[in-house]
Amino acid sequence: MNVWLIVGIVSGVISVGAALYLYFWVMRQDAGSERAQEVAGWIREGAASYLKRLYIALTLVAVVLGFIIAIVFSFDLTQLGTGSVDITPTNGVIMAAAFIFGALSSAVAGYMGMAVAVQANVRSAVAVSESLNKGFRVAFYAGAVMGLAMVGLAIIGMCSIFLLTGNPEVILGFSFGASTLALLAKAGGGIYTKTADIAADLVGKIEVGIPEDDPRNPAVVADNVGDNVGDVAGMGADIFDSYVASTVAAMLLGAAMAGPDNLKYTVFPLILCTLGIFASLLGIQFVRVGKDGKPGTALNFGTIITCVIFGVMVIALVLLGGYDMSTLWSTLVGLIVGVVVGFTTEYFTSEDFKPVQETARVSSSGAAITIITGFSYGLLSIFPSIIGIVIATLVSFYISEASGVVSGIYGIGISAVGMLSISGMIVSSDAYGPIVDNARGIAEMAGMDHSVIVKADILDSAGNTAKAITKGFSISAAALTVLALFAAYAEIIEARGISVEISLRSPLVIAGVLLGAMTPPIFSALTMLSVTHNAFDMIEEIRRQFKAEPGILLGTVVPDYKTCVSLAAHGALSSLVIPAFLAVGAPLLVGFVLGPDALGGFLGGAIFTGVIFALLMSNAGGLWDNAKKFIETGQYGGVGSEAHKAGVIGDTVGDPFKDTAGPSLNTLITVMSLVSSLFAPVIAAFHIF
Amino acid sequence: MNVWLIVGIVSGVISVGAALYLYFWVMRQDAGSERAQEVAGWIREGAASYLKRLYIALTLVAVVLGFIIAIVFSFDLTQLGTGSVDITPTNGVIMAAAFIFGALSSAVAGYMGMAVAVQANVRSAVAVSESLNKGFRVAFYAGAVMGLAMVGLAIIGMCSIFLLTGNPEVILGFSFGASTLALLAKAGGGIYTKTADIAADLVGKIEVGIPEDDPRNPAVVADNVGDNVGDVAGMGADIFDSYVASTVAAMLLGAAMAGPDNLKYTVFPLILCTLGIFASLLGIQFVRVGKDGKPGTALNFGTIITCVIFGVMVIALVLLGGYDMSTLWSTLVGLIVGVVVGFTTEYFTSEDFKPVQETARVSSSGAAITIITGFSYGLLSIFPSIIGIVIATLVSFYISEASGVVSGIYGIGISAVGMLSISGMIVSSDAYGPIVDNARGIAEMAGMDHSVIVKADILDSAGNTAKAITKGFSISAAALTVLALFAAYAEIIEARGISVEISLRSPLVIAGVLLGAMTPPIFSALTMLSVTHNAFDMIEEIRRQFKAEPGILLGTVVPDYKTCVSLAAHGALSSLVIPAFLAVGAPLLVGFVLGPDALGGFLGGAIFTGVIFALLMSNAGGLWDNAKKFIETGQYGGVGSEAHKAGVIGDTVGDPFKDTAGPSLNTLITVMSLVSSLFAPVIAAFHIF
């Protein structure tokens, strides 16, 4: 099997190499006029200053957690009667190293994504003035830098750890590192971006009546920085996290199976990732917009072709490699459900269908009706995704169980990996969105020609649709991942000879489920209250600047962008303390007090409500956003009408739903699952009840 | 034990007698001027016409369901290898009769409540012009009519069925009947009241600028009828439902225990209800407002004194009756947690505390911030209730388990009964709210003196606080009830010799939980979309009337109230079809397809998200309502300010949250649990997977 691990590392190196190649390609593009470069420079600086603060905070967290891991895993728990044999003094240091390696890999991928995004935005704006296709390519290839860097670094990390230690539990440490970073990057970025966005809109658009992305607005740079730190770096870290977590979960479930082929199936998830990387590298070549083509179609076509290439590769692998056929079906069902769920998300968030149109229509009766209607459709949007997750779970479980070769839960793990294996392509499409959003902003701020802004708008709108699809995809992928991690949690404990019974007939488990189920809503509340709280501070700063320097509004004085950038960064990072503590501390508290059965219930509860709230918030947010845009196309009175005012309120409510709370929940439940699995042996040994 | 059953029936007769006495007392009060009587007459007629339609719909549903029950339970399932012995041909008819008896009892209690409420509103308005205390007494005693009728009829039904059949499973049929009625009454009433409220406000207050409760508004009568059908009849049916369901769950769990004292503990829940009735009858005597006293304090004092009386009675019962001491602790922990959770609800919804004040403060930045902040606090409000439910569950389980006499799950059942035993008092306080709300409306519409309206406002405000507390109480009581029913479900199946394993490690159970968990959000969405849809129709009707007859707005022509009343009634009832089918059909579908283990998971999932969404929606709704009222006291600019406009939007969003979707979820999960328990033996015998 070692040859596959080496192939995996090679594929990772190729992927990172391709990312670097695209990076330099993007950098060679025309960076435009001095004015455009100046504007892009402000955004770049703001992003860099945020990243610096984030990485300092992260280093602190990583050192503390790494130290705890090193100590905890250095005790020989065998003496405490848990039957554990894996945990020996050496492993403490190895675990801590894997943890830091994971955090570092995710950070590097995120940094590369940001670094290219803040250069590509202005270049895309310049390129789009030449042709739509050129602008599209700059933005998409820049997005691919992050997509490819991410999957490349992930596979290098996982394969090399397994090559060195042969123990998938060490990869859990790597995965936990990546998740910890993702939690900070995603939640922090989400708070940052919406703080700036809401503050800029409320004072700029509503109070003083200047347009979006107007350079007179002191918060405009912070708003554009937010797109990068929230949507590029945050989203990348989020999928990195699910990608690694699903792979390690499937590996652990493979390793837990009895039989001689055990190792073969433990490595299988890594091979799937390797094939997914090659499929993404090929799929990216197919993403092109013709002269009159639509960028949205190009992105979707790229996703579908990647799936097809990947599917063919997996068929070949299973047939030639002598794997059980059930692994093929599990992979494919995961892949298909992921894509189908992604596209059903479009139904609820695209202006071509009833939910958005109906929400726009009722908006003429006022904002309250807009909110109630959009929220209700958001609740309904849970339905197709849950059905998809249920189908993927049941089909992959029973086909695998029936094979007699692999275990049913291994099948669930493989379906999650199947879904996420094309992450390279998914992240590329997704990172495209904020880049073109920024490109539009820069075009506006730098005073480019109106025709450029119109074309940038076309690119931007395709980005929004792509974002809705990848969000649906990433939530359902995360759901399957955590279900696999949940199964792995029980396996890890049972491997220590301790039985786990997560029966809903036990009151301890019920207590665990209730406590777990309330964690995602509370986490959402904390992050959203941070947004409104920080936005309030920034609103005061914007008002202060307008008052202190009347030249700003006249356009004769450049506003103090830096103070707003700094306010957003400081606010976001200091708001993370309690949510981060909740994510890591709550499962440990439940585990050490109520025991491993209750912790199993806790994870289950967190997964169930986490998935539901993530779907609700992401989809309702996307729906309100597009309902407003639909009204802006002239429907129901168009811009300035009562319906539009209501639509703007709906959109603003949706902002922290879809960009702060909703997408952070994926990471929250992954972090909690990983903490639990990682500390499972220790919790099994020490707990009060 | 028969003597206790007879005492129970006697207590029920006394309670119903007291209700009738109070009814005639209220009817003897001064009904005021001709104008006031005319206004009250409109409301009375509207309520009667809605009730007539509701009862026709209910009769249809009851006949169909009763017929199905009679047939299904007439088969001898023993021949199908389920080991069932209880289900013999006779039982089909008995079950169907019990079902119809349950629906009828709840309907009669609701009818009595409505009948007195629509007479008491005008009498309370007249009485308050004499003195605050007089007005308070009329409204509270009218509320007590429903409270006492409800608990009286419930105990008569349960005791007489048990006396006749000796089989608590037949009481399940009674309970299912009551729940079916509650679902229709609560969800239908909730849709009705908010359709009228929102439509009246949007056209009346916002479009044409006339005050609330203005007689020129064609929807004003429908709005006042809505208070009665939604808050009086609906709420009463809801608590009737929980009250009976918790008692039958505890009886089933008692009957499932081994040992000679089995019957003694099976009857114990009925004895608790009996004592609760006596405690409520005594407690009601203590509810009085002094000359300068506060009505809110009077209501809370009544609740606390009832708890104390009940506590003392239970201590005497357990000591003298030779019951195990654990039953005392379980009862008390349920009672205390119910009251404490009720009061913590006040923290999140009263203007004296941070959540409401903070939401009011940020409203000056616009409606979007009001929504985000209120929603976030609503999410946080889940915390204390869930902790309370967890404590009640764990404490009652472990104390009972440790006793060696009763089973742990029996303890959970008893704590639910403990919580609900004082329902007579709780419903009395709760029904007071809509009566004084109506009194205020009538005072306004009938053009009474301003000083009367001010005093009516004081009564109304106390009603709102009481409502928040009883809502928190009823949600946590419903949560414990369904947890007990959930345990009973498994016991019923196992009594047939079939083992049930609701383990979260089984993918079928996980599938069940995911499907169950999405039911409450989808149910909420359907009911809320009905509200906006129906409100839209009514808005058009109001606009049509204003346009067709300009004399309406001048006050020279009486608007056509009846059409609005009829629109609301028709809309509410036709909107119930899909939600009602979901409540009854979904558990049966999951059970017959995926089997009893998955159905167990389904129930668990529905309970977890049901409780969370119920708390979120009720509390966020209450919070927005009071934030608006807080601004209206002159804070942050007072009436007419930007903050006030935002507050009004928040309040309107909260309307269907707190009065339609939120409170219906209790009933939804109770109905689903009862359907499952009732059909458990049949599902255990026939299922696909």
Side-chain angles (χ1 to χ4, degrees), chain A residues 538-553:
Chain A
M538 196 180 288
I539 286 171
E540 282 183 18
E541 167 63 19
I542 303 172
R543 288 180 181 155
R544 188 196 63 73
Q545 289 198 23
F546 282 149
K547 210 172 165 186
E549 184 52 81
I552 294 178
L553 269 178

Side-chain angles (χ1 to χ4, degrees), chain B residues 311-329:
Chain B
V312 172
M313 284 175 164
V314 177
I315 293 171
L317 170 70
V318 169
L319 292 180
L320 302 178
Y323 289 94
D324 185 73
M325 281 303 284
S326 69
T327 56
L328 174 62
W329 303 126

Side-chain angles (χ1 to χ4, degrees), chain A residues 448-625:
Chain A
M448 291 190 189
D449 201 66
H450 183 66
S451 70
V452 178
I453 295 176
V454 169
K455 279 195 273 183
D457 259 339
I458 297 174
L459 294 182
D460 189 16
S461 144
N464 280 327
T465 310
K467 205 165 145 185
I469 295 174
T470 51
K471 256 182 200 162
F473 174 89
S474 69
I475 294 170
S476 45
L480 272 190
T481 300
V482 287
L483 287 179
L485 275 175
F486 180 59
Y489 162 78
E491 293 290 334
I492 290 173
I493 295 185
E494 296 212 325
R496 267 77 188 175
I498 299 166
S499 77
V500 194
E501 215 191 329
I502 314 174
S503 165
L504 288 180
R505 300 183 65 186
S506 145
L508 269 181
V509 174
I510 296 251
V513 176
L514 284 169
L515 295 172
M518 76 176 177
T519 317
I522 287 179
F523 182 87
S524 303
L526 293 173
T527 55
M528 290 198 293
L529 285 175
S530 299
V531 169
T532 53
H533 184 264
N534 297 344
F536 220 77
D537 291 348
M538 196 180 288
I539 286 171
E540 282 183 18
E541 167 63 19
I542 303 172
R543 288 180 181 155
R544 188 196 63 73
Q545 289 198 23
F546 282 149
K547 210 172 165 186
E549 184 52 81
I552 294 178
L553 269 178
L554 300 171
T556 54
V557 177
V558 176
D560 174 10
Y561 298 129
K562 275 198 181 159
T563 307
C564 285
V565 167
S566 169
L567 263 180
H570 178 75
L573 291 175
S574 59
S575 305
L576 284 180
V577 179
I578 300 175
F581 182 78
L582 183 68
V584 179
L588 294 179
L589 190 68
V590 170
F592 286 118
V593 175
L594 300 178
D597 291 359
L599 179 54
F602 178 87
L603 287 181
I607 293 170
F608 305 136
T609 54
V611 172
I612 284 176
F613 274 91
L615 289 166
L616 161 64
M617 295 186 146
S618 294
N619 293 343
L623 183 152
W624 280 315
D625 189 356

Side-chain angles (χ1 to χ4, degrees), chain A residues 275-353:
Chain A
L275 299 185
I277 288 177
F278 287 121
S280 298
L281 281 166
L282 291 171
I284 286 170
Q285 315 298 319
F286 288 90
V287 181
R288 260 158 227 272
V289 191
K291 258 193 177 162
D292 311 319
K294 290 180 177 175
T297 317
L299 292 173
N300 290 346
F301 180 69
T303 304
I304 298 212
I305 203 95
T306 306
C307 288
V308 172
I309 296 171
F310 177 68
V312 172
M313 284 175 165
V314 177
I315 293 172
L317 171 71
V318 169
L319 293 180
L320 302 177
Y323 289 94
D324 187 72
M325 282 302 285
S326 69
T327 55
L328 175 63
W329 304 126
S330 296
T331 310
L332 294 183
V333 78
L335 188 65
I336 293 168
V337 165
V339 174
V340 170
V341 166
F343 282 98
T344 61
T345 308
E346 206 187 342
Y347 172 76
F348 284 97
T349 57
S350 154
E351 64 180 41
D352 296 335
F353 301 100

Side-chain angles (χ1 to χ4, degrees), chain A residues 185-387:
Chain A
K186 188 78 212 156
I191 295 171
Y192 185 114
T193 179
K194 292 302 126 178
T195 299
D197 189 7
I198 291 177
D201 282 1
L202 285 179
V203 186
K205 281 204 233 173
I206 296 171
E207 282 187 21
V208 301
I210 54 178
E212 187 151 356
D213 292 329
D214 192 293
R216 288 171 289 177
N217 194 328
V220 72
V221 171
D223 187 9
N224 277 285
V225 169
D227 291 340
N228 290 294
V229 302
D231 294 346
V232 179
M235 178 73 181
D238 178 21
I239 297 206
F240 189 102
D241 161 47
S242 298
Y243 185 74
V244 174
S246 68
T247 311
V248 67
M251 290 178 75
L252 285 166
L253 295 171
M257 296 191 302
D261 281 343
N262 168 312
L263 181 62
K264 187 171 161 184
Y265 287 104
T266 306
V267 175
F268 185 68
L270 290 172
I271 305 177
L272 286 182
C273 291
T274 307
L275 299 185
I277 288 177
F278 287 121
S280 298
L281 281 166
L282 291 171
I284 286 170
Q285 315 298 319
F286 288 90
V287 181
R288 260 158 227 272
V289 191
K291 258 193 177 162
D292 311 319
K294 290 180 177 175
T297 317
L299 292 173
N300 290 346
F301 180 69
T303 304
I304 298 212
I305 203 95
T306 306
C307 288
V308 172
I309 296 171
F310 177 68
V312 172
M313 284 175 165
V314 177
I315 293 172
L317 171 71
V318 169
L319 293 180
L320 302 177
Y323 289 94
D324 187 72
M325 282 302 285
S326 69
T327 55
L328 175 63
W329 304 126
S330 296
T331 310
L332 294 183
V333 78
L335 188 65
I336 293 168
V337 165
V339 174
V340 170
V341 166
F343 282 98
T344 61
T345 308
E346 206 187 342
Y347 172 76
F348 284 97
T349 57
S350 154
E351 64 180 41
D352 296 335
F353 301 100
K354 194 185 161 194
V356 167
Q357 292 173 356
E358 178 72 8
T359 306
R361 187 179 74 86
V362 298
S363 292
S364 51
S365 292
I369 307 285
T370 311
I371 303 288
I372 297 167
T373 307
F375 188 79
S376 300
Y377 280 116
L379 291 169
L380 289 181
S381 76
I382 296 166
F383 184 75
S385 299
I386 294 281
I387 297 291

Side-chain angles (χ1 to χ4, degrees), chain A residues 365 398 494 502 504-505 508, chain B residues 398 494 502 504-505 508:
Chain A
S365 292
Y398 283 103
E494 296 212 325
I502 314 174
L504 288 180
R505 300 183 65 186
L508 269 181
Chain B
Y398 285 102
E494 296 212 325
I502 315 174
L504 288 180
R505 299 183 65 183
L508 270 179

